[in-house]
């Protein structure tokens, strides 16, 4: 992506030439008058006319130099492909602005790209993925502070008090279960469906369970933090070590585990409940289980500092928080809206019935680097 700015240097040069030429004509009139060939009034009129034309030329050049209102927005997306495509179409319909996106699929990859481009930002806005990935970007001065007027209609807990990111949806972590494989390989042996995270430690899941890597996937990190918050540091790491024995491998994106379980390659996995329900609606033999003491994400949006279409980025944030767009997202992605006047997605457990862990989002952000390093060392090349 290159620079799309255009500067009106040629118009300004033309104005300068015209101004100089007209001034010369005025001077010639004055010289003729001195020679008795023109009256004083004619000389004054010539000078006034030259000044007027010069002013008009300068004004015209100024209009040429002014940049036209941008009709483009470059987005780095951590959304599902079909969700960002729908947003692209609707945003163009509502605002006339072309949304160009690069779908990176995970908040980890998107935030890494923003950091890598900090000296020459290529995107205007980052959308999707947990706000835990946005706060470090804000701390490093890579996001622009902006508080949308529409945020006044949303609980303040969903937004950054300093305006560097805004939460616009909620998701909860769940277990995805392949019902066909479970019936054949687990239920036939007397194993009950998992109801808690601890149930996944059953040796029956060894090599048949898949989850995501906290270094690259927002859901993967929130799952790790969930265990540390619900069990405490020592018992939490003990749980993760035991679970690692059952994990076949860690995927780069949270949604990958759903696909692998839906197609029967694995019997169970961990991912976002809304994405599990979405795949189940497509006819795959899977179901979602939301365990007690699960964790929730606040899906974020943030304006990249130094982006070339900053005003359009602000319009996008405003647009994203409106009720019609929130309803569209809830219906298409099954995510919970942050607005109280939007109904829960069809097929999803009511948010009031979800038992959430006491999740300290500030602490989760602060400890992320250390936790990811320790976890990476623990699992090795898995």
């Amino acid at each position: 992506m290159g620079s799309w700015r255009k500067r009106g240097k040629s118009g300004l040069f033309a104005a300068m030439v015209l101004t100089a030429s007209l001034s010369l004509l005025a001077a010639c009139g004055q010289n003729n008058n001195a020679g008795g060939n023109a009256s004083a009034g004619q000389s004054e009129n010539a000078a006034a006319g030259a000044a007027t034309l010069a002013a008009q030329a300068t004004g015209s050049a100024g209009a040429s130099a002014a940049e036209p209102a941008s009709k483009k927005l470059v987005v780095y997306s951590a959304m599902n492909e079909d969700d960002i495509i729908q947003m692209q179409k609707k945003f163009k319909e509502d605002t006339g602005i072309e949304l160009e996106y690069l779908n990176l699929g995970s908040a980890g990859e998107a935030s890494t790209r923003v950091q890598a481009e900090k000296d020459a930002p290529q995107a205007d806005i980052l959308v999707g993925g947990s706000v835990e990935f946005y706060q470090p970007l804000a701390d490093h001065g890579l996001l622009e502070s902006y508080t949308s007027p529409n945020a006044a209609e949303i609980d303040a807990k969903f937004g950054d008090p300093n305006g560097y990111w805004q939460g616009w949806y909620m998701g909860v972590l769940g277990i995805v279960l392949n019902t066909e494989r479970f019936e054949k390989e687990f239920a036939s042996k007397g194993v009950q469906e998992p109801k808690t995270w601890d149930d996944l430690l059953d040796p029956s899941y060894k090599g048949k369970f898949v989850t995501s890597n906290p270094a690259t996937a927002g859901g993967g990190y929130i799952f790790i933090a969930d265990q540390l918050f619900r069990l405490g540091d020592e018992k939490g790491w003990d749980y993760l070590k035991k679970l690692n024995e059952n994990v076949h491998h860690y995927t780069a994106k949270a949604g990958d585990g759903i696909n692998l379980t839906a197609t029967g390659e694995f019997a169970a996995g961990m991912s976002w409940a809304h994405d599990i329900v979405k795949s189940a609606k497509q006819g795959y033999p899977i179901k979602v289980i939301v365990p007690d003491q699960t964790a929730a994400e606040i899906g974020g949006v943030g304006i990249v500092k130094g982006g070339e279409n900053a005003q359009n980025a602000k319009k996008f944030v405003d647009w994203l928080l409106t009720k019609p767009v929130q309803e569209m997202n809830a219906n298409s992605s099954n995510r919970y809206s942050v607005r109280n006047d939007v109904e829960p997605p069809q097929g999803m457990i009511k948010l009031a019935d979800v038992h959430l862990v006491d999740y300290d989002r500030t602490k989760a952000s602060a400890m992320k680097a250390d936790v990811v390093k320790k976890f990476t060392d623990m699992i090795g090349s898995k």
Side-chain angles (χ1 to χ4, degrees):
M1 301 174 191
S3 173
W4 303 287
R5 296 179 185 269
K6 295 181 179 179
R7 305 184 186 278
K9 291 182 179 178
S10 59
L12 181 58
F13 177 75
M16 293 172 65
V17 171
L18 182 56
T19 302
S21 300
L22 291 170
S23 297
L24 180 60
L25 288 173
C28 290
Q30 291 171 345
N31 290 338
N32 288 341
N33 183 53
N37 294 325
S39 67
Q42 289 174 325
S43 176
E44 292 173 0
N45 289 340
T52 300
L53 289 173
Q56 290 175 345
T58 302
S60 176
S64 299
E67 297 178 12
S70 170
K71 286 295 181 182
K72 181 161 65 173
L73 179 71
V74 181
V75 177
Y76 282 174
S77 165
M79 309 286 293
N80 294 334
E81 186 85 17
D82 52 350
D83 291 331
I84 190 65
I85 289 175
Q86 183 183 53
M87 292 169 68
Q88 178 189 47
K89 180 180 178 181
K90 183 63 174 170
F91 188 61
K92 174 66 181 297
E93 289 177 357
D94 291 347
T95 67
I97 297 170
E98 292 283 355
L99 190 158
E100 299 179 1
Y101 72 87
L102 177 61
N103 199 45
L104 295 162
S106 75
E109 290 184 35
S111 62
T112 297
R113 184 146 185 154
V114 170
Q115 292 178 61
E117 298 171 349
K118 62 184 177 66
D119 294 328
Q122 300 298 297
D124 303 307
I125 203 159
L126 175 62
V127 65
S130 176
V131 296
E132 276 86 349
F133 283 85
Y134 286 71
Q135 191 57 52
L137 295 178
D139 293 341
H140 286 87
L142 302 180
L143 298 181
E144 192 74 36
S145 178
Y146 174 66
T147 300
S148 169
N150 293 338
E153 302 172 18
I154 297 169
D155 194 314
K157 69 183 179 182
F158 293 115
D160 174 32
N162 296 313
Y164 288 107
W165 52 261
Q166 173 64 52
W168 63 281
Y169 67 82
M170 276 190 66
V172 297
L173 291 177
I175 299 169
V176 53
L177 199 68
N178 185 297
T179 53
E180 292 180 353
R181 281 199 64 175
F182 188 85
E183 185 65 29
K184 293 177 182 178
E185 301 173 32
F186 294 79
S188 60
K189 299 178 182 178
V191 178
Q192 300 294 313
E193 287 188 357
K195 296 180 180 178
T196 69
W197 295 125
D198 294 321
D199 289 340
L200 295 174
L201 298 181
D202 189 311
S204 300
Y205 290 100
K206 186 175 180 63
K208 300 177 182 179
F209 177 77
V210 65
T211 185
S212 51
N213 194 316
T216 58
Y221 176 68
I222 292 175
F223 173 72
I224 300 302
D226 183 0
Q227 312 315 314
L228 298 177
F229 285 137
R230 78 181 181 92
L231 296 171
D233 195 66
E234 184 177 347
K235 291 183 179 179
W237 281 109
D238 183 57
Y239 169 86
L240 293 170
K241 289 175 184 177
K242 291 177 180 177
L243 182 66
N244 185 54
E245 296 298 315
N246 285 348
V247 176
H248 180 273
H249 71 282
Y250 297 89
T251 64
K253 302 173 184 178
D256 292 342
I258 300 173
N259 299 331
L260 294 171
T261 305
T263 55
E265 189 169 344
F266 294 96
M270 186 287 301
S271 193
W272 295 110
H274 53 264
D275 288 333
I276 299 171
V277 170
K278 188 172 185 177
S279 292
K281 287 180 178 179
Q282 295 172 359
Y284 290 102
I286 58 175
K287 65 181 294 186
V288 62
I289 299 167
V290 179
D292 285 347
Q293 296 292 289
T294 193
E297 75 165 334
I298 297 177
V301 61
I303 298 174
V304 178
K305 189 171 184 178
E308 296 205 8
N309 303 285
Q311 292 305 312
N312 290 344
K314 293 177 181 179
K315 291 178 183 178
F316 181 80
V317 176
D318 295 343
W319 174 83
L320 204 58
L321 300 182
T322 61
K323 184 178 180 182
V325 176
Q326 289 279 302
E327 289 176 332
M328 177 188 76
N329 184 62
N331 291 333
S332 65
S333 71
N334 299 297
R335 294 180 174 91
Y336 297 105
S337 171
V338 295
R339 293 183 63 105
N340 292 328
D341 55 358
V342 175
E343 292 296 317
Q346 185 178 7
M348 286 289 289
I349 182 174
K350 291 182 179 179
L351 197 55
D353 295 333
V354 176
H355 300 147
L356 293 172
V357 72
D358 185 10
Y359 194 97
D360 187 333
R361 209 161 297 278
T362 301
K363 183 177 179 180
S365 295
M367 69 182 189
K368 182 174 180 293
D370 291 338
V371 167
V372 169
K373 184 181 184 307
K374 183 173 181 177
F375 184 85
T376 302
D377 292 340
M378 181 189 78
I379 67 172
S381 60
K382 199 171 209 179

